């Protein structure tokens, strides 16, 4: 048991200042993010809650170096990601970030093992793909292609792929969005275990309030802004969650 | 990067048919280059080696009769290295088993091993003993009649029928292409070369110590026109008809024309094929990369750099292109050997080098590679430039607009599926355009390929029927009294005989000159017909000269210009004559004048050198029989056997070459259409599967997809025909030579053939794709987003 706001010694991993993102669609400008100020601390689990279209994915993508803000700044530790070159962003993603997407985004022509190897082959100090898949309980499915796996299994491959490089941060965009409750909690368990074992800073997007109970901190989004912040006095184990 | 390579090969395997289709298109381009350049190079190196080893002469001259002492004067001319005199006579042959008469070109033979120039290569038998009626015959004639040493036939030599015995069979660099003058293609049964010891020929033709032809070789750096002029001056008193270089030596000129046409094909067609291929690779690969958008985003999200991702897709293209190169190289080499072998039957070479120019090989590889890479790089750059977040997001629903049909208010009459087709095309007009353009280009190639058949038919029709209507031409070989024509007219089976006067002349206009023949035509004769460039026939004008259109272009002389004439016969006057008309002519370089006008120009009385005749078809054999027995007729050219051999030779030759191109054209067409259909399917699989889920039938869905394909192919048909005409125009102009021209006539049936093949390949591709539509896995398509 720990309390995030009583841990001032913990280092900030991400820090954003007035982060703004505008999508220009012809005549119309979509304000996806409108001045986000946020600090994410080392090894915490952060849940981002909010209705669809409120800008959660946009924020996560910018944090992970997949996209650039229109205005404002993002720091990863001391590095200003807003000023980083494409090459530096690539390096950042390669070395430090693990992504999990709602639709798994596995490469369909590669087996589970190869999908993980795709990432470990370019990482500095990775686990073996088998080891990562073992962590998510997929050892019997090593040589299956995505099409031969269920949705939950595919998502667990995606988790194995994200953690195999031992990333400093794990960014999960609705990791259970496409899964039933039982499979979903299996996936969340795997994420929590990684956070426990590897001390990986973890951000999880969801619009499922139940999931928020496994977080150290919950940020609520609305209309591109942070509309609420709440610290859980106590994290619940993922296995206890049902919805 | 093992995992990425695994992805590469599995993805390639998944689209193997498409990849194969692209590789085949590239292969076609490369194969044409290798085949054409290979055959060209092999042929020209073989020719050069043969000429060199058997001392083929550089300049040739024909004359009436000159004493052998004149040879020293010619040898002494500046620039002349060696000179060799000889006696040549055309003789009528009566060959056992052949109904029609044959013609032999009887050539005097130097003693074995003593020939300074134009040496023969004895392939069988031995040199003839003088005085025994022994001859060495050219290989073509021997083969056509199955002769070996000891075979015998009859010949009319200087008015006396004699038995000639084959002592040997030979080839010569002078007769690589053995053609009866006045014919388009060889007829091996009726024309051949006979070599006879010089002393026997001297005795037979009363030419003791004399010669009627001379060949010379030039010293390095000597000027050919200078030597020709000096030789003409020396030979004029002896009835010289104008010396000429290799470019006007019949066998060489044909060989040269063939090489020229090969060069044209090799330089013109491959760029077209490679152009089409690279265009296709460009669209296909870039659209393929577009369908990989999400995966590119994914790889970038994991920290793969733009360079690594780009290289991955470049490798993808590389494998396809290199596969194409391998196929092309293998097929091209094989076809090159086939072509060269074909030429060996057509041209008489004692040996054949098959050579491949490594530079050509590398250049064609480089061009295809560059084309493939260029197509890919653009697409990959576009894809990697997207931020990974955008690349991975499902492509936003396309913004469709109301279609033109809705705008003009007929939309309610058009079924919804058809509207989907139209909107899809309107939404991506560039894609639609490239698909149609690809189809049009390949259709154009097909039309151009089939155009050659039309051109051949037109050539035969215009030369043998429309312009020259005679069934046979008798060449007296020297000017005779006009009464000679009457004698021909009285032969059995001859319905009509019209006189012909042929005069060798050198025409000059401005700084250009050409050695040709002027034909004198009597007014009111019917067999020779003049057809102008617009296709209208006209009578021979009473004054002035009529030039063939190609000759007029060669000289640069138009109607109304005055050209200078050096007559190379009789009194050999120099005169001037006005160009009265231009006549369309696909064969040779000729000029015509009204007979009296010609006589005035050369300052001589009426004479004839030949007769053009019509034969009663029921009495052909009686006519042939008489010809065989008539010593004085000289040489006879018959139309029917000529056409038969023309078609036969071309059937063998052109058909092989053309069928290569047809295979190419069909392959390309199929490659284009199949790829377009497959890409359309992969781009729209989701949408179509959703429609199926909503309750649309397979037929409905197939209609949406294939309807679009059909529409794009239909739109391409007319441009395909237009492009076909354009390409035919280019080929016909590029293949213009002095010997004959390929007329630009594209028949409706040719367009129809091209269109039908296009439609059939489209239908075949549609079937292949329809099969996939039927197997659309609804769940899988809706579940996954790739
Ligand atoms: N690539 C894009 N182009 C234009 N608009 C976008 C794009 N991505 C997201 N948006 C818009 O930005 C807003 C926020 O989107 P997003 O961050 O995906 O929301 P969430 O993840 O909270 O559902 C939405 O209105 C969405 O339509
Ligand atoms: Mg989202």
């Amino acid at each position: 048991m720990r309390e995030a706001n009583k841990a001032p010694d913990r280092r900030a991993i991400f820090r954003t200042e007035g982060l703004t993102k505008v999508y220009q669609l012809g005549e119309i400008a979509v304000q996806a993010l409108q001045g986000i100020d946020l600090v994410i601390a080392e090894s915490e689990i952060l849940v981002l809650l909010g209705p669809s279209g409120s800008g959660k994915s946009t924020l996560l993508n910018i944090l992970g170096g997949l996209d650039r803000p229109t205005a404002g700044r993002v720091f990863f530790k001391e590095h200003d990601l807003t000023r980083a070159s494409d090459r530096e962003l690539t390096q950042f993603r390669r070395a430090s970030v693990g992504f999990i997407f709602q639709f798994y985004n596995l490469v369909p022509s590669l087996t589970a093992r190869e999908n993980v190897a795709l990432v470990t082959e370019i990482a500095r100090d990775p686990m073996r793909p088998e080891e990562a898949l073992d962590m998510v309980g997929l050892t019997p499915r090593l040589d299956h292609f995505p099409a031969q796996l269920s949705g939950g299994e595919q998502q667990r491959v995606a988790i194995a792929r994200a953690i195999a490089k031992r990333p400093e941060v794990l960014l999960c965009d609705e990791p259970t969005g496409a899964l039933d409750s039982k499979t979903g909690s299996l996936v969340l368990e795997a994420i929590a275990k990684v956070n426990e074992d590897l001390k990986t800073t973890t951000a999880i997007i969801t619009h499922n309030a139940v999931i928020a109970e496994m977080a150290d901190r919950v940020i609520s989004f609305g209309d591109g802004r942070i509309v609420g912040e709440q610290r859980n006095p106590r994290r619940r184990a993922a296995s206890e969650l049902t919805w | 990067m093992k995992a990425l390579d695994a992805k590469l090969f599995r993805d390639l395997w998944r689209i193997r048919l498409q990849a194969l289709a692209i590789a085949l298109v590239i292969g076609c381009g490369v194969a044409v280059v290798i085949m054409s350049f290979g055959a060209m190079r092999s042929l020209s190196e073989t020719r050069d080696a043969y000429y060199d080893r058997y001392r083929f002469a550089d300049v040739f001259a024909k004359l009436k009769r000159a004493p052998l002492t004149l040879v020293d004067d010619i040898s002494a001319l500046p620039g002349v290295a060696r000179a060799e005199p000889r006696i040549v006579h055309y003789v009528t042959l009566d060959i056992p088993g052949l109904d029609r008469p044959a013609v032999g070109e009887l050539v005097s033979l130097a003693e074995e091993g003593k020939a300074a120039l134009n040496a023969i290569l004895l392939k069988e038998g031995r040199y003839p003993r003088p005085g025994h009626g022994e001859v060495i015959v050219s290989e073509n004639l021997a083969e056509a009649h199955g002769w070996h040493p000891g075979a015998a036939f009859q010949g009319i030599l200087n008015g006396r029928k004699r038995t000639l015995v084959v002592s040997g069979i030979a080839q010569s660099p002078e007769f690589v292409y053995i053609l009866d003058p006045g014919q388009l293609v060889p007829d091996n049964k009726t024309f051949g070369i006979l070599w006879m010891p010089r002393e026997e020929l001297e005795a037979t033709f009363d030419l003791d110590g004399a010669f009627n032809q001379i060949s010379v070789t030039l010293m390095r750096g000597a000027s050919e026109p200078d030597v020709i002029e000096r030789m003409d001056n020396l030979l004029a008193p002896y009835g010289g008809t104008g010396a000429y270089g290799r470019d006007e030596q019949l066998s060489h000129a044909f060989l040269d024309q063939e090489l020229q046409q090969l060069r044209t094909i090799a330089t013109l067609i491959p760029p077209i094929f490679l152009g089409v291929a690279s265009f296709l690779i460009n669209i296909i690969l870039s659209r393929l990369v577009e369908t990989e958008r999400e995966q590119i985003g994914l790889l970038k999200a994991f920290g793969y750099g733009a360079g690594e991702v780009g290289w991955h897709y470049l490798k993808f293209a590389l494998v396809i292109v290199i596969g194409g190169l391998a196929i092309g190289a293998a097929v091209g080499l094989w076809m090159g050997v086939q072509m060269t072998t074909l030429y060996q039957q057509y041209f008489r070479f004692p040996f054949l080098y098959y050579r491949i120019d490594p530079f050509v090989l590398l250049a064609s590889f480089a061009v295809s590679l560059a084309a493939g890479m260029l197509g890919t790089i653009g697409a990959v750059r576009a894809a990697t430039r997207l931020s990974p977040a955008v690349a991975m997001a499902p492509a936003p629903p396309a913004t469709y607009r109301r279609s033109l049909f809705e705008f003009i208010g007929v939309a309610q009459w058009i079924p919804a599926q058809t509207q989907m087709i139209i909107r899809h095309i309107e939404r991506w007009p560039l894609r639609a355009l490239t698909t149609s353009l690809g189809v049009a280009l390949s259709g154009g190639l097909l039309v151009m390929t089939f155009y050659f058949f039309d051109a051949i038919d037109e050539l035969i029709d215009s030369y043998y029927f429309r312009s020259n209507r005679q069934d046979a031409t008798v060449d007296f070989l020297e000017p005779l009294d006009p009464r000679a024509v009457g004698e021909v007219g009285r032969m059995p089976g001859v319905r009509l005989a019209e006189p012909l006067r042929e005069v060798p002349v050198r025409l000059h206009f401005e700084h250009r000159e050409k050695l040709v023949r002027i034909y004198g035509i009597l007014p009111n004769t019917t067999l020779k017909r003049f057809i102008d460039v617009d296709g209208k026939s006209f009578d021979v004008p009473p004054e002035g000269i009529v030039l063939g259109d190609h000759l007029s272009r060669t000289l640069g002389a138009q109607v109304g210009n005055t050209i200078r004439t050096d007559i190379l016969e009789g009194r050999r006057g120099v005169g001037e004559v006005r160009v009265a008309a231009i006549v369309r002519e696909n064969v040779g370089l000729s000029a015509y004048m009204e007979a009296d006008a010609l006589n005035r120009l050369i300052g001589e009385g009426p004479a004839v050198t030949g007769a053009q005749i019509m034969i009663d078809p029921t009495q052909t054999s009686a006519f042939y029989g008489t010809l065989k027995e008539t010593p004085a007729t000289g040489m006879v050219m018959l139309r029917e056997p000529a056409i038969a051999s023309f078609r036969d030779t071309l059937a063998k030759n052109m058909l092989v070459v053309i069928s290569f191109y047809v295979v190419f054209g069909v392959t390309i067409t199929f490659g284009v259409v199949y790829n377009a259909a497959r890409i359309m399917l992969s781009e729209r699989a989701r949408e179509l599967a959703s429609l199926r889920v909503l309750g649309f039938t397979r037929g409905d869905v197939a209609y949406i997809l294939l309807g679009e394909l059909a529409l794009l192919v239909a739109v391409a048909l007319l441009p395909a025909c237009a492009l076909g005409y354009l390409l035919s125009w280019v080929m016909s102009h590029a293949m213009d030579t002095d010997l004959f021209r390929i007329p630009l006539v594209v028949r409706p049936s040719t367009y129809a053939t091209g269109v039908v093949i296009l439609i059939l390949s489209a239908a075949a591709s549609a079937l292949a794709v329809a099969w996939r539509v039927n197997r659309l896995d609804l769940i899988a398509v809706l579940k996954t987003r790739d």
Side-chain angles (χ1 to χ4, degrees), chain A residues 21-25 30-33 49-61 67 173-174 205 207 221 223-224, chain B residues 387 389-391 393-394 396:
Chain A
K21 177 78 181 180
V22 182
Y23 289 109
Q24 199 67 42
L25 286 174
V30 178
Q31 290 275 347
L33 294 177
L49 268 182
S52 186
S54 56
K56 308 178 298 290
S57 297
T58 305
L59 175 65
L60 210 69
N61 287 342
D67 211 348
D173 194 343
E174 302 191 32
I205 290 180
H207 31 229
F221 258 74
D223 246 349
Chain B
S387 84
V390 175

Side-chain angles (χ1 to χ4, degrees), chain B residues 608-640:
Chain B
V608 291
T609 54
Q612 300 187 313
I613 53 190
M614 293 275 266
I615 301 166
D616 181 345
T618 59
Q619 295 195 49
T620 318
S621 52
F623 173 66
Y624 288 168
T626 315
L627 277 180
K628 283 181 175 184
E629 301 302 327
T630 312
T633 44
M635 197 164 75
V636 181
M637 284 157 293
L638 303 166
R639 175 168 63 183
E640 289 308 326

Side-chain angles (χ1 to χ4, degrees), chain B residues 190-207:
Chain B
T190 58
F191 187 79
I193 316 302
L194 315 174
W195 285 275
M196 191 179 236
R198 185 183 165 86
E199 43 193 298
E200 194 168 351
L201 262 175
E202 280 186 359
T204 310
F205 292 95
D206 307 318
L207 283 163

Side-chain angles (χ1 to χ4, degrees), chain B residues 155-341:
Chain B
I156 299 170
L157 277 66
N158 207 17
R160 289 208 329 273
K161 197 156 189 175
R162 280 181 62 185
T163 296
L164 299 172
V165 180
V166 177
S167 76
I169 294 165
Q171 291 183 337
S172 150
E174 235 186 313
F175 303 103
V176 170
Y177 191 80
I178 303 182
L179 189 70
D180 176 344
Q183 294 296 9
L184 288 181
V185 292
D187 183 351
N188 292 327
K189 276 197 155 56
T190 58
F191 187 79
I193 316 302
L194 315 174
W195 285 275
M196 191 179 236
R198 185 183 165 86
E199 43 193 298
E200 194 168 351
L201 262 175
E202 280 186 359
T204 310
F205 292 95
D206 307 318
L207 283 163
D208 292 320
F211 63 94
N212 67 2
Q213 279 197 13
I214 187 155
S215 322
V216 309
T217 44
L218 301 180
M219 292 200 280
R220 196 177 293 276
S223 150
E224 188 182 291
D226 277 0
V227 171
I228 287 177
E229 201 184 325
R230 292 199 160 94
M231 279 175 72
D232 278 356
N233 290 339
L234 264 182
L235 293 174
Y238 303 96
T241 56
Y244 51 90
R246 283 182 180 181
D247 56 334
E248 288 175 44
Q249 199 266 350
L250 201 58
S251 159
H252 178 90
F254 261 94
L255 199 47
D256 213 49
Q257 157 174 287
E258 197 60 41
L259 284 173
Q260 208 176 312
Q261 290 183 348
L262 268 180
R263 188 171 297 122
T264 307
I265 290 174
T267 47
L268 215 65
I269 293 189
I272 296 172
F273 273 79
L274 280 183
V276 173
S278 51
F279 174 73
L280 284 179
I281 306 170
N282 215 306
I283 26 179
I284 292 166
L285 285 179
S286 60
R287 285 171 75 171
L288 234 136
V289 169
E290 260 170 56
T291 60
E292 289 269 309
R293 212 171 100 121
E294 288 180 41
Q295 307 223 8
I296 291 174
L298 189 68
L299 289 175
K300 286 188 73 181
F302 292 153
Y304 280 90
E308 287 160 317
V309 176
W311 174 232
H312 172 67
Y313 285 96
L314 270 188
K315 276 199 285 190
F316 196 88
L318 261 175
V319 172
I320 297 179
V321 174
I322 288 176
L325 293 183
I327 296 173
V331 172
L333 287 174
W334 178 78
M335 290 192 319
V337 174
Q338 299 305 304
M339 279 262 275
T340 315
T341 318

Side-chain angles (χ1 to χ4, degrees), chain A residues 48-225:
Chain A
L48 300 169
L49 268 182
S52 186
S54 56
K56 308 178 298 290
S57 297
T58 305
L59 175 65
L60 210 69
N61 287 342
I62 293 174
L63 289 179
L66 292 183
D67 211 348
R68 290 173 186 276
T70 314
R73 305 175 80 182
V74 201
F75 292 93
F76 171 71
K77 298 181 187 167
E78 279 70 49
H79 310 287
D80 185 349
L81 295 185
T82 17
R83 295 225 178 123
S85 66
D86 273 349
R87 187 180 295 271
E88 286 162 337
L89 278 186
T90 300
Q91 207 47 48
F92 162 62
R93 293 195 299 267
R94 179 185 287 216
S96 314
V97 188
F99 285 105
I100 300 169
F101 306 102
Q102 179 181 1
F103 295 103
Y104 332 132
N105 291 67
L106 299 181
V107 176
S109 52
L110 296 181
T111 62
R113 190 206 309 258
E114 288 162 346
N115 261 288
V116 178
L118 197 59
V119 170
T120 57
E121 278 171 9
I122 57 168
R124 215 181 299 124
D125 173 31
M127 312 174 189
R128 287 182 308 111
E130 293 78 6
E131 200 182 325
L133 284 162
D134 189 49
M135 283 183 75
V136 295
L138 276 183
T139 305
R141 294 273 184 274
L142 279 178
D143 294 316
H144 287 56
F145 285 96
Q148 301 164 328
L149 297 171
S150 74
E153 287 169 331
Q154 289 187 49
Q155 192 59 301
R156 273 143 71 199
V157 175
I159 294 173
R161 185 176 61 181
I163 60 171
K165 67 163 89 154
R166 307 181 209 275
E168 286 170 85
V169 294
L170 191 57
L171 304 176
C172 318
D173 194 343
E174 302 191 32
T176 60
L179 303 176
D180 63 83
S181 150
K182 193 158 151 273
T183 326
S185 62
L186 272 179
V187 164
L188 291 174
E189 247 176 87
I191 293 173
K193 184 163 182 293
V194 169
N195 171 264
E196 201 67 43
D197 295 355
L198 306 174
K199 299 281 170 271
T200 309
T201 308
T202 307
I204 305 171
I205 290 180
T206 180
H207 31 229
N208 186 342
V210 179
I211 293 175
E213 293 173 31
M214 70 179 279
D216 293 306
R217 198 152 57 109
V218 181
I219 304 278
S220 298
F221 258 74
D223 246 349
R225 291 194 179 84

Side-chain angles (χ1 to χ4, degrees), chain B residues 352-516:
Chain B
L352 206 57
Y353 294 138
Y354 186 65
R355 286 287 150 80
I356 269 299
D357 199 331
F359 174 76
V360 167
L361 209 66
L362 289 179
S364 68
F365 282 11
V367 169
S368 329
L369 266 179
M373 296 303 94
L374 237 74
T376 320
I377 287 172
V380 172
R381 284 239 326 252
T384 51
R385 223 182 289 128
L386 291 176
S387 84
V390 175
M392 266 196 305
T399 39
Y400 286 92
R401 271 170 310 156
R402 284 150 56 84
S403 74
L404 182 68
F405 292 94
E406 286 162 276
F407 194 70
I408 59 176
V410 296
Q412 69 254 42
W413 311 109
I414 299 175
Q417 280 116 300
T418 308
Q419 290 205 27
M420 284 184 72
I421 294 175
I422 295 166
R423 287 203 196 141
H424 192 253
I425 292 176
E426 287 189 343
R427 175 64 185 77
W428 283 285
L430 211 69
R431 283 185 191 174
L433 191 76
T434 48
T435 304
S436 289
L437 200 63
V439 173
L441 271 172
S442 52
L445 280 178
L446 279 173
V447 169
M448 180 200 78
T449 314
F450 288 110
Y451 146 73
F452 280 101
F453 290 110
D454 292 351
I456 299 299
D457 280 346
E458 168 66 16
L459 193 60
I460 290 179
D461 196 50
S462 71
Y463 181 68
Y464 285 112
F465 294 97
R466 274 183 277 138
S467 297
N468 303 293
R469 306 200 303 163
Q470 69 274 19
D471 296 322
T473 303
V474 177
D475 190 340
F476 299 141
L477 301 175
E478 57 183 338
L480 297 179
D481 186 89
R483 274 175 304 191
V485 177
E487 277 169 39
V488 172
R490 281 189 291 278
M491 285 183 175
V494 175
R495 286 204 308 215
L496 176 67
E498 293 182 348
L500 192 67
R501 173 80 162 109
E502 182 186 329
V503 177
V505 63
R506 212 183 280 282
L507 299 180
H508 301 260
F509 183 67
E510 291 169 352
H511 58 279
R512 295 172 289 272
E513 59 157 303
K514 203 77 201 167
L515 180 65
V516 300

